[in-house]
Structures are given as structure tokens and as C-alpha cells.
């Protein structure tokens, strides 16, 4: 018999040939430079991943950014920050623009560097030497100085929470001009220089007084400034009122450990804050953050508070679209999906795994598409029974408990073809490092199986959600296939638009970003 790999069918020949290899050495489709930078911006965390290290990821970003025009770099930076809620990557792309297009870096800086943490990220990247310089330079220094001069005291106090570099380091670098005696006193206090105590902002003066006399009321400063001191449970209860929404979500076990929930009214206040629609809409927490919080709460956290978290989780996926017809969602549960979603980083490795995100996407789609089929896969499709009316967290946890084995992205498509199933939309959530189904020649197995499925379902659409920054896919973008990176509300929005025929690919969505803020 002739070699089937060499002498493929006529159908296979009209499908796009692969042009890359994935991190497992199997055939794949490379993203074009624009799509690749968008994918890196939305999923990259500049940390060690399952298949590549942080340094390799950084080199990939810088190389890809050099192959596209500066305007696209700008749009990716803004998209990653405002739609993708990323931190390191938009700061890096903004820093890149200070070298490639200094004029364009100005509006991008103002859109991306929106809090103290982002400011510290930007300065750290600029001074690292990774983008070609070890100093800020005149224009970036001016941008940083303007940020400091325009920031409120509250913003400055939050910016002073953190180091490497600290806000004090940054002030010493750029020498902001104090607009009044209060700002001058604040800068002096911050960097350890003499200052006028009477001119010091009231919050800082109260903090200094409180450090000398702990019987005084807690000062109105960021709660992180206070937690290094020994506090009473009443003081912890007070902090529960003051913490930001995200900080409250992350410190529930801490509040329980310090017995704050034992005080009258604290439980109700915390539960009401977590489930407050207005606060939730303002913060826009990522669904996987809420699921993680739910799985980590200890026995000391009251059930009403846990219920409020679950209510918030349900609200976080409210934008999952209702898709018409027969919907199939396929979460990758292979071994590599056990890796942290944001990569490995000493002292800062996320407990959220790729498989947790894939499971949550599947559970969320099932939540709004009650008749959807869920086909988790590794080397093959894994049988699992999910109840569409079950708690979102329960279904996600059940899916995440299924894991192990190699990656075979085409497995669910092959199963559907064997069944001759009727399909309208398929959603695959994966790191795209398929190797069990490697063809070595011609199209990927995913494209081969998709072609077979399309002969029976000509109107079907395939959505591939890529949650890792590895730069290749198993399905080539075209009118019936969309690759989208990351996992935020932006992904759900992209799904809805694609399913409704409003957008053909992800680059069109990123391209709609306005570089100059519309007022």
C-alpha cells in the first residue's frame, strides 16, 4: 500500500498545510505576527510555563513586537490591560513603545499605567535592560513624574504598598515637583527625608501617631500597612470594612483566623459586600479568581459568606453567550493542563491551574446553554455526566478532577464524526500542544476531522480558546474557525460575536481598540 502520509486525499490537499511545530514537536499552525502578539499579550505572564521558560517568552514577545507596526503594539497593550486584566505584559509593551515610537507611548502609557502596581511594573521593566536601555530616559521619566504629580494621596498611598522598585525608589529617580506643602511633606516622609509634620496628609500623620499609641483608632491607610502589626479582632473587623473588594475576597481565611466573624454584624457585612452588584460591576473579578476563593475558604468562613462568593461567581459568567443549536464544549484535561495558569514564579505561583480555567469555561457554557454536551479530552474523550442545573462551582470542580495523559485535541471531533452528530458550535479550551494525533504531513488532525464534520454540518463554527502563550494552534483561522486567547469577559464577548457572525477573527476585535481615550 502506498504511503498514506505522502499520498493524501484530494480533500486533505485543499486544507491548509501546517507551517510550524508546537512545543511537543508536532505539526501546528503558526499565528501570524499580529495574531501572535495579541495572543501573547492576552495570555503571557512572563513566568515559566509547562513548555517554556520566562526568558523564552520574553524573547518571543520582543521578537514578535518588532515584526508589527507600533500601532498594533499599542492596541495589544491596551486590550491586554483593559479587556484582559493583564499586568506585566501591557507594561512591557508600553515600555517597548518608548523605544519604537516614543510619541505613541504617551497615550498608551496613560491608558495602561492606571495604578501604582502598574507604575512599578513599568519602571522595573524600563530599568531592567531587556528592552535596550537601563534607565528611564527623558520622556518615560516625564510620564512617570506626571503620574505622580497628578495622583491623589489615596492613589499614592496604595502605590507605596510594594517594592522592587518601591514608590520611594521611583520618587528618587524622577524627582516630582511637589505642588504644595502637603505633597512636599509626603515625599519627604516617603523617602526618609526631613518633613513638616503639620503639613503631612492627615492619613499619614494619623498612621505615625497610631504606631506610637495603638489604642488610637485605626488610621485610614491601606490595610497592608497595618497587618504587620498585632491587631485585635475588632481591628480586623474594621479592616474588613475598609479592604477593597478583591482584597476582601483574598483575606477571608485571615479574617476567620483572627476571629473577626465572631463579632456581631461582621458576617452580614462581609457577605453583603461580596454580593453587592454595584461593587462587583466596578471590580469585574475574573471567574477563576472567584472559583479559587471558593475552593480555598476554610471552615472558619461562615456559610453565608461562602454563598455570597458563589453568587459572585455566577454573576461573573453572566456574559457567557446563549448559542443557538447544538453546542459542544471540550475542555482539555491532559497532564500539561495541571500547570499554573499564570506560570511558575518563585513566591508568586498561582494556585489556579490551566485545567481549572478549562473546566470553568465548560461549566459556564453549560450554565447558559443547558443542552450543551461537554466532552473533556486527554488522549481520548473522557466520559463525564454533568447536570446543567447544578452549581457552577460543582460542575467545574468535577471536571477539574479529571486529568492526566497526553494531548489529543482532535479526539472530541473524531468522536462526533463517528457518531455522525449534528453540530452548530464547538468550543475547545486547551493549551494547544497536541501530539497524540500528530500527522507529520499535511493538515493537523483537528483540521482533518473538522473538514469531515463540516460536510455534514456546513454551518458549524469552531471556537478555540487558547489559554497559554505558546504561539501555535491546531486549527487555522478562517470564516468558520476563530482562535482567541485568554479567559476574561473579553473571551465570552468574542465568542458571542463570532457565533453571531459579527466578527471573523480575533485580530478584528483587538483592532477595534481606541488608542486615544474617547471622552
Amino acid at each position: 500500500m502506498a504511503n498514506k502520509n505522502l499520498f493524501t486525499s484530494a480533500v486533505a490537499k485543499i486544507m491548509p498545510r501546517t507551517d510550524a511545530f508546537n512545543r511537543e514537536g508536532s505539526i501546528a499552525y503558526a499565528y501570524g505576527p499580529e495574531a501572535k502578539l495579541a495572543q501573547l499579550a492576552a495570555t503571557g505572564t512572563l513566568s515559566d510555563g509547562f513548555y517554556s521558560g520566562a526568558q523564552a517568552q520574553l524573547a518571543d514577545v520582543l521578537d514578535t513586537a518588532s515584526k508589527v507596526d507600533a500601532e498594533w503594539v499599542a492596541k495589544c497593550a491596551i486590550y491586554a490591560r483593559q479587556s484582559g486584566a493583564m499586568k506585566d505584559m501591557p507594561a512591557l509593551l508600553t515600555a517597548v513603545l518608548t523605544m519604537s515610537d516614543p510619541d505613541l507611548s504617551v497615550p498608551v502609557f496613560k491608558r495602561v499605567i492606571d495604578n501604582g502596581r502598574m507604575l512599578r511594573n513599568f519602571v522595573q521593566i524600563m530599568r531592567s535592560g531587556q528592552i535596550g536601555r537601563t534607565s528611564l530616559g527623558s520622556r518615560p521619566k516625564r510620564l512617570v513624574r506626571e503620574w505622580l504629580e497628578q495622583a491623589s494621596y489615596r492613589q499614592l498611598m496604595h502605590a507605596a504598598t510594594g517594592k522592587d522598585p518601591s514608590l520611594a525608589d521611583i520618587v528618587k529617580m524622577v524627582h516630582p515637583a511637589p505642588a504644595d506643602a502637603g505633597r512636599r511633606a509626603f515625599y519627604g516622609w516617603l523617602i526618609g527625608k526631613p518633613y513638616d509634620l503639620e503639613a503631612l496628609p492627615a492619613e499619614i500623620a494619623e498612621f505615625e501617631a497610631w504606631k506610637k499609641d495603638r489604642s488610637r483608632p485605626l488610621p485610614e491607610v491601606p490595610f497592608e500597612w497595618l497587618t504587620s502589626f498585632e491587631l485585635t479582632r475588632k481591628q480586623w473587623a474594621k479592616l474588613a470594612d475598609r479592604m477593597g473588594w478583591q482584597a476582601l475576597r483574598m483575606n477571608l481565611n485571615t479574617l476567620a483566623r483572627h476571629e473577626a466573624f465572631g463579632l456581631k454584624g461582621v458576617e452580614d457585612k462581609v457577605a453583603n459586600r461580596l454580593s453587592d452588584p454595584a461593587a462587583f460591576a466596578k471590580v469585574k473579578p475574573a471567574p477563576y479568581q472567584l472559583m479559587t476563593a471558593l475552593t480555598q475558604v476554610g471552615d472558619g468562613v461562615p456559610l453565608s459568606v461562602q454563598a455570597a462568593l458563589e453568587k459572585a461567581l455566577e454573576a461573573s459568567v453572566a456574559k457567557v453567550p446563549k448559542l443557538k443549536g447544538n453546542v459542544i464544549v471540550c475542555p482539555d484535561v491532559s497532564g500539561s493542563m495541571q500547570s499554573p495558569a499564570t506560570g511558575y514564579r518563585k513566591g508568586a505561583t498561582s494556585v489556579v491551574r490551566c485545567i481549572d480555567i478549562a473546566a470553568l469555561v465548560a461549566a459556564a457554557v453549560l450554565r447558559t446553554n443547558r443542552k450543551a454536551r461537554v466532552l473533556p479530552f486527554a488522549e481520548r474523550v473522557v466520559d463525564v455526566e454533568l447536570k446543567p442545573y447544578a452549581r457552577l462551582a460543582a460542575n467545574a470542580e468535577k471536571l477539574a478532577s479529571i486529568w492526566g495523559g497526553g494531548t489529543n485535541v482532535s479526539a472530541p471531533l473524531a468522536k462526533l464524526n463517528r457518531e455522525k452528530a449534528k453540530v452548530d458550535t464547538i468550543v475547545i479550551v486547551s493549551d494547544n500542544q497536541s501530539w497524540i494525533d500528530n500527522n507529520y504531513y499535511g493538515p493537523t488532525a483537528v483540521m482533518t476531522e473538522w473538514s469531515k464534520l463540516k460536510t455534514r454540518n456546513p454551518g458549524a463554527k469552531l471556537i478555540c480558546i487558547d489559554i497559554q502563550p505558546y504561539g501555535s494552534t491546531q486549527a487555522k483561522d478562517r470564516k468558520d474557525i476563530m482562535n482567541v486567547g485568554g479567559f476574561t469577559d473579553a473571551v465570552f464577548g468574542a465568542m458571542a460575536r463570532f457565533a453571531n457572525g459579527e466578527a471573523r477573527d480575533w485580530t478584528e476585535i483587538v483592532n477595534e481598540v481606541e488608542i486615544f481615550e474617547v471622552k
Side-chain angles (χ1 to χ4, degrees):
M1 182 179 290
N3 187 333
K4 291 184 179 180
N5 288 326
L6 293 176
F7 301 102
T8 56
S9 68
V11 173
K13 288 180 179 179
I14 65 174
M15 287 189 287
R17 296 182 64 86
T18 54
D19 54 6
F21 294 95
N22 63 23
R23 301 303 171 95
E24 281 283 8
S26 297
I27 58 174
Y29 299 99
Y31 289 118
E34 290 189 345
K36 183 176 181 179
L37 187 63
Q39 196 258 354
L40 286 166
T43 63
T45 57
L46 301 176
S47 301
D48 293 337
F50 188 87
Y51 290 104
S52 67
Q55 191 62 45
Q57 190 181 135
L58 173 62
D60 210 11
V61 173
L62 296 178
D63 177 66
T64 307
S66 70
K67 294 176 180 176
V68 300
D69 61 45
E71 185 174 325
W72 186 254
V73 176
K75 290 188 175 189
C76 287
I78 297 170
Y79 177 88
R81 179 62 187 153
Q82 297 191 343
S83 296
M86 301 297 283
K87 299 178 182 69
D88 293 352
M89 197 61 72
L92 172 61
L93 295 178
T94 304
V96 167
L97 284 170
T98 66
M99 299 288 287
S100 62
D101 193 328
D103 290 338
L104 195 56
S105 71
V106 175
V108 174
F109 180 96
K110 294 177 180 179
R111 301 289 301 281
V112 169
I113 310 304
D114 53 9
N115 61 35
R117 177 173 178 176
M118 291 300 294
L119 186 75
R120 295 197 309 274
N121 285 353
F122 175 77
V123 172
Q124 180 185 4
I125 290 168
M126 289 294 297
R127 298 181 71 235
S128 68
Q130 295 286 4
I131 65 164
R133 69 195 315 168
T134 56
S135 63
L136 286 178
S138 58
R139 191 178 307 219
K141 183 179 289 188
R142 175 173 59 81
L143 289 170
V144 172
R145 187 186 304 117
E146 288 175 354
W147 191 97
L148 293 170
E149 292 171 350
Q150 294 168 10
S152 67
Y153 281 123
R154 180 57 55 177
Q155 289 173 313
L156 289 171
M157 285 192 288
H158 281 290
T161 305
K163 54 184 180 179
D164 299 326
S166 67
L167 184 65
D169 295 330
I170 295 173
V171 168
K172 292 175 184 177
M173 288 177 210
V174 304
H175 306 291
D180 51 40
R183 192 65 65 118
R184 183 178 297 106
F186 174 80
Y187 290 146
W189 170 85
L190 183 69
I191 65 177
K193 295 289 186 180
Y195 59 87
D196 181 357
L197 180 61
E198 293 185 357
L200 202 62
E203 301 94 332
I204 308 296
E206 290 170 5
F207 176 59
E208 291 299 316
W210 178 84
K211 287 194 294 183
K212 296 174 183 177
D213 179 5
R214 307 287 176 75
S215 66
R216 296 173 63 91
L218 285 179
E220 294 279 355
V221 295
F223 82 95
E224 296 92 341
W225 294 15
L226 304 170
T227 54
S228 60
F229 299 93
E230 187 174 344
L231 304 175
T232 67
R233 65 174 185 164
K234 286 185 177 180
Q235 289 173 320
W236 277 104
K238 189 69 174 178
L239 289 185
D241 279 339
R242 294 186 183 175
M243 290 179 189
W245 197 96
Q246 289 281 38
L248 182 62
R249 184 262 303 176
M250 296 170 66
N251 284 277
L252 294 175
N253 287 335
T254 303
L255 293 172
R257 189 168 62 251
H258 290 92
E259 302 179 342
F261 289 117
L263 294 173
K264 184 179 180 180
V266 174
E267 176 183 335
D268 290 341
K269 284 183 179 180
V270 171
N272 289 337
R273 283 195 63 197
L274 290 175
S275 58
D276 178 24
F280 184 86
K282 183 178 180 180
V283 176
K284 297 180 180 178
Y288 69 81
Q289 293 175 324
L290 296 167
M291 186 179 70
T292 302
L294 268 172
T295 59
Q296 289 188 319
V297 291
D299 294 337
V301 178
L303 292 178
S304 64
V305 174
Q306 297 183 41
L309 268 181
E310 189 144 6
K311 182 178 179 181
L313 175 61
E314 295 284 351
S316 72
V317 296
K319 291 187 178 181
V320 176
K322 175 70 175 175
L323 304 173
K324 295 179 180 179
N326 297 311
V327 178
I328 317 292
V329 58
C330 312
D332 182 351
V333 296
S334 63
S336 64
M337 296 289 283
Q338 282 290 306
S339 64
T342 56
Y344 300 94
R345 185 184 297 184
K346 187 176 180 180
T349 297
S350 170
V351 297
V352 181
R353 303 164 299 169
C354 294
I355 196 171
D356 296 321
I357 292 178
L360 187 53
V361 171
V365 172
L366 183 62
R367 194 78 170 133
T368 53
N369 298 271
R370 306 289 190 179
K371 295 183 179 180
R373 288 183 66 184
V374 179
L375 301 179
F377 68 91
E379 296 179 12
R380 59 178 179 80
V381 172
V382 182
D383 292 329
V384 63
E385 183 178 353
L386 300 178
K387 298 179 180 178
Y389 292 94
R391 292 165 41 243
L392 183 69
N395 276 339
E397 185 177 357
K398 189 171 185 179
L399 282 170
S401 68
I402 309 168
W403 64 274
T407 309
N408 183 358
V409 178
S410 65
L413 299 179
K415 177 180 176 64
L416 293 169
N417 281 329
R418 289 193 299 271
E419 297 174 352
K420 294 182 171 52
K422 292 184 178 181
V423 176
D424 293 289
T425 303
I426 297 179
V427 181
I428 296 176
V429 194
S430 174
D431 62 6
N432 265 316
Q433 302 307 295
S434 194
W435 59 276
I436 295 292
D437 54 355
N438 191 19
N439 286 336
Y440 296 102
Y441 297 95
T444 61
V446 169
M447 289 301 293
T448 299
E449 295 295 342
W450 180 245
S451 178
K452 295 176 184 176
L453 188 145
K454 288 284 286 185
T455 60
R456 299 190 317 278
N457 305 278
K461 292 187 177 181
L462 176 62
I463 300 170
C464 301
I465 301 177
D466 196 342
I467 57 177
Q468 290 287 274
Y470 297 135
S472 66
T473 179
Q474 291 294 297
K476 188 79 170 177
D477 274 336
R478 61 187 202 186
K479 289 183 178 180
D480 58 340
I481 300 174
M482 179 178 70
N483 289 283
V484 58
F487 176 47
T488 62
D489 283 349
V491 171
F492 291 143
M495 286 173 56
R497 295 175 65 178
F498 182 72
N500 293 332
E502 296 176 20
R504 190 177 70 81
D505 60 42
W506 187 26
T507 57
E508 290 182 5
I509 295 170
V510 177
N511 196 44
E512 292 176 355
V513 168
E514 295 287 346
I515 295 174
F516 296 90
E517 190 168 10
V518 179
K519 296 184 179 180

